Amino acid sequence: MNIGITCYPVYGGSGVVATELGKALAGRGHHVHFIAYSMPFRLGHVAGNITFHEVNVNTYPLFEYPPYSLALTSKMVDVVHHEELDLMHVHYAIPHATSAVQAQQILKQKDERVPVVTTLHGTDITLVGRDPSFRPVVNYSINESDGVTAVSKFLRRETHEHFDIESEIEVIPNFIDTDRFQRANKDHFKQALCPNGEKVIVHVSNFRPVKRAQDVVEVFHKLCGEGLCDLKLLLVGDGPDRVPTEHLARELGVYEDVRFLGKQEPIEEILSIADVFLMPSGSETFGLAALEAMACGVPVVCSDIGGLPELVPDEEAGFLCPLGDVGALTDRTRRILTDEDLHDRMARAARRRAVGAYSLDEIVPRYEAYYEEVRERSLAAA
Ligand code: GMT
């Protein structure tokens, strides 16, 4: 198939999933056209049957807010027409689904048809999308899409609860390249970061308030206070809460043992030296970063919210804790760090679950089958 993919190309789960999906589809012989405002960061270089189409937004003194979604629509029309796309798959509803259904309408006038699949990822439904300033448009764009997928059952429920959705929503969970994400020997790296063989807690996020990165530092502080001193905390990523989190680490006197590594691409190398992965998020429709950790055999301690209970079986691949309960997060993390058998059992279960339920080979064919189904349905309706 000739497939157009639109996503946010910057750091973030939906962009990662869209890019990895495009790469995997290309690897399976499809032609993939990425349409975005910059090259998706996980794409690396474009070659063979992957093409990147950049959306340029004209600035004009009259435009206080340059109309990106219109420029995206025009680019979609152009690419569908010239590259003869069979289907467009957009990730994150705002504004991608809206631009795609608009492009579809424009193309219809020229007697050209292209089905649109929208994948809902997270705050496009749970936060931003339900704000009155966007809700009618998001609702319309979902209903006008020919196919709609959500990354978890939780997200499907939320979508039905907060929007008037007429169509079926297919749950296709996120996936991971389990060859790339697996535990590898990174002794040199461990030696550099933990010269005294300290155990390692890792947190990866975009440091937005919803990730509750300060809770991670509080857990670390409590563990140190309990005498678990041979520990290091590695914080990966960057965002608005990084500075307050740094302040908290200084204030609590643990800064020396916390490393803020910033945005890192070879995440699997860091995860390969991790003993526990902490995700105390306030909202998480799926939790891709937790899946990356699980694939690397790292037990996950996370909030019992959103899509996380679907991903992390409690007491098997890690622990689910009540939201904001730093005491529970600390207790479960301590148990894993101090009980080697428990750690090893959870590490194996985490890897097994990632490979068994969320591998690329498992999930990508589900997207292919869904594309076929949507195409057949929309051809029949034409
Ligand atoms: O919705 C967001 O906040 C952004 C989005 C992203 O682009 O990173 O994250 C969501 O989608 C990811 C990929 O499907 C999920 O793994 C994240 O759980 C989800 N984030 C939230 O629900 C906060």
Side-chain angles (χ1 to χ4, degrees):
M1 283 173 84
N2 220 359
I3 303 157
I5 291 185
T6 290
C7 62
Y8 281 105
V10 292
Y11 207 65
S14 61
V16 169
V17 171
T19 309
E20 294 298 340
L21 176 61
K23 286 181 356 190
L25 289 166
R28 294 165 71 89
H30 301 281
H31 287 260
V32 177
H33 297 264
F34 283 96
I35 306 169
Y37 60 76
S38 67
M39 178 94 86
F41 79 99
R42 276 269 181 104
L43 196 52
H45 60 284
V46 285
N49 42 357
I50 296 182
T51 312
F52 169 60
H53 305 266
E54 185 167 326
V55 180
N56 296 303
V57 190
N58 254 336
T59 52
Y60 185 67
L62 203 57
F63 299 154
E64 195 175 337
Y65 306 104
Y68 171 67
S69 59
L70 298 184
L72 175 60
T73 302
S74 294
K75 181 58 87 178
M76 285 170 163
V77 170
D78 187 67
V79 175
V80 172
H81 176 70
H82 289 288
E83 304 287 351
E84 300 178 4
L85 297 192
D86 296 308
L87 180 138
M88 280 198 296
H89 186 179
V90 296
H91 293 258
Y92 203 90
I94 309 168
H96 303 149
T98 313
S99 294
V101 297
Q102 260 181 343
Q104 194 182 48
Q105 291 299 322
I106 294 167
L107 286 157
K108 221 183 240 172
Q109 290 188 338
K110 302 197 213 175
D111 243 2
E112 292 180 41
R113 298 188 189 268
V114 65
V116 170
V117 171
T118 294
T119 290
L120 308 171
H121 276 274
T123 48
D124 45 352
I125 294 299
T126 57
L127 189 69
V128 196
R130 68 175 70 158
D131 186 274
S133 59
F134 288 120
R135 192 184 173 280
V137 171
V138 172
N139 207 113
Y140 167 82
S141 309
I142 294 174
N143 280 333
E144 286 297 304
S145 298
D146 301 278
V148 184
T149 77
V151 298
S152 62
K153 291 181 194 150
F154 164 79
L155 185 57
R156 177 169 62 186
R157 278 197 306 275
E158 284 287 293
T159 311
H160 280 303
E161 200 168 310
H162 294 277
F163 295 85
D164 303 315
I165 302 303
E166 293 148 12
S167 38
E168 290 275 311
I169 299 176
E170 179 89 2
V171 174
I172 304 183
N174 290 332
F175 62 92
I176 193 153
D177 177 348
T178 49
D179 289 335
R180 175 182 161 188
F181 284 87
Q182 61 176 309
R183 206 164 185 92
N185 187 335
K186 295 289 163 198
D187 281 352
H188 61 289
F189 193 40
K190 168 105 186 180
Q191 179 63 27
L193 288 167
C194 316
N196 302 313
E198 295 93 336
K199 292 209 165 155
V200 178
I201 299 173
V202 171
H203 168 77
V204 180
S205 77
N206 50 21
F207 284 74
R208 282 181 296 155
V210 72
K211 303 293 176 182
R212 302 180 68 98
Q214 278 126 307
D215 284 3
V216 176
V217 170
E218 289 201 18
V219 168
F220 187 70
H221 170 246
K222 275 179 174 284
L223 290 169
C224 294
E226 291 172 1
L228 263 181
C229 302
D230 291 340
L231 276 184
K232 291 281 179 203
L233 172 61
L234 307 183
L235 295 168
V236 184
D238 212 333
D241 265 4
R242 174 170 167 171
V243 171
T245 307
E246 283 180 6
H247 280 165
L248 182 66
R250 284 201 187 87
E251 228 173 80
L252 296 176
V254 292
Y255 189 78
E256 287 299 300
D257 292 311
V258 181
R259 292 289 299 270
F260 287 84
L261 299 175
K263 292 181 185 175
Q264 296 282 335
E265 206 11 57
I267 298 275
E268 66 277 18
E269 299 200 0
I270 298 164
L271 292 170
S272 285
I273 65 164
D275 296 289
V276 175
F277 186 84
L278 264 177
M279 181 179 259
S281 303
S283 169
E284 207 71 68
T285 55
F286 182 85
L288 188 64
L291 175 58
E292 292 180 341
M294 288 164 66
C296 292
V298 187
V300 171
V301 177
C302 61
S303 308
D304 188 5
I305 48 99
L308 288 173
E310 291 170 52
L311 175 65
V312 184
D314 193 21
E315 307 207 5
E316 253 180 65
F319 288 113
L320 298 166
C321 301
L323 173 59
D325 189 341
V326 171
L329 290 163
T330 308
D331 174 70
R332 307 307 186 272
T333 305
R334 188 200 325 98
R335 281 173 61 185
I336 297 173
L337 289 174
T338 55
D339 182 341
E340 214 164 298
D341 287 346
L342 178 69
H343 173 273
D344 294 352
R345 181 168 57 76
M346 288 190 156
R348 280 196 303 275
R351 168 77 187 168
R352 222 175 20 246
R353 177 137 180 90
V355 173
Y358 300 101
S359 75
L360 191 148
D361 293 336
E362 185 74 28
I363 304 298
V364 175
R366 285 177 59 181
Y367 273 114
E368 287 177 307
Y370 189 64
Y371 291 166
E372 287 299 343
E373 183 193 317
V374 168
R375 243 160 59 92
E376 273 169 28
R377 230 192 298 130
S378 66
L379 280 177

